[in-house]
Amino acid sequence: MNAIKAVSLTLCYSCVAISMVTVLIPQKRTRRVMSFAVGLFFISTFITVVSAQVSEIDFHSPNVAEIPIPTYHDADSQEVVAQMTADHLTQALNELLHNEGIDVKDIKLSLKISDEGRISVVRAVIYISEKDIDKMPAIKSIVYRNISKEPEIHVTGEEAQQVAE
């Protein structure tokens, strides 16, 4: 990165210097000679800087043994993926239900990852307040359309706390 920065700065400074010298060049016979000299100066400056910076670059490719390989267990990574997916699905369902005017107390999703890598919802539990009892069919419909699993709906926030404990 420093090499690119050095080449760019030199290029910019050279362009500024050449522009100033070009303005001072008379319009008659000396213009051709001076233009040639300025061009030669620009090219030599650019080549010098590029060659100096290229010599500093290490083109050595790393040995395979030098590259660190992270170690993790497949089951651990699957648990992390399942938890992240459950969190994102919970957030998305919460937003969908909120947009429909349904105040959800809590959403609990249990996911499973198959051997083929497919993620499926095993269990969906939604906790709502008593004022949203009449919206249970809408809740079931929204959740089923989005995760293809009919949720268990519990009507008090107290049960959500008991399950979490």
Side-chain angles (χ1 to χ4, degrees), residues 3-15:
I4 294 172
K5 184 177 179 182
V7 170
S8 300
L9 283 174
T10 303
L11 186 62
C12 289
Y13 291 145
S14 298
C15 287

Side-chain angles (χ1 to χ4, degrees), residues 2 15 34 49 51-53 74 93 105 109 164:
N2 288 335
C15 287
M34 287 301 287
V49 171
S51 64
Q53 295 302 321
D74 195 34
L93 286 174
K105 297 283 186 190
L109 296 176

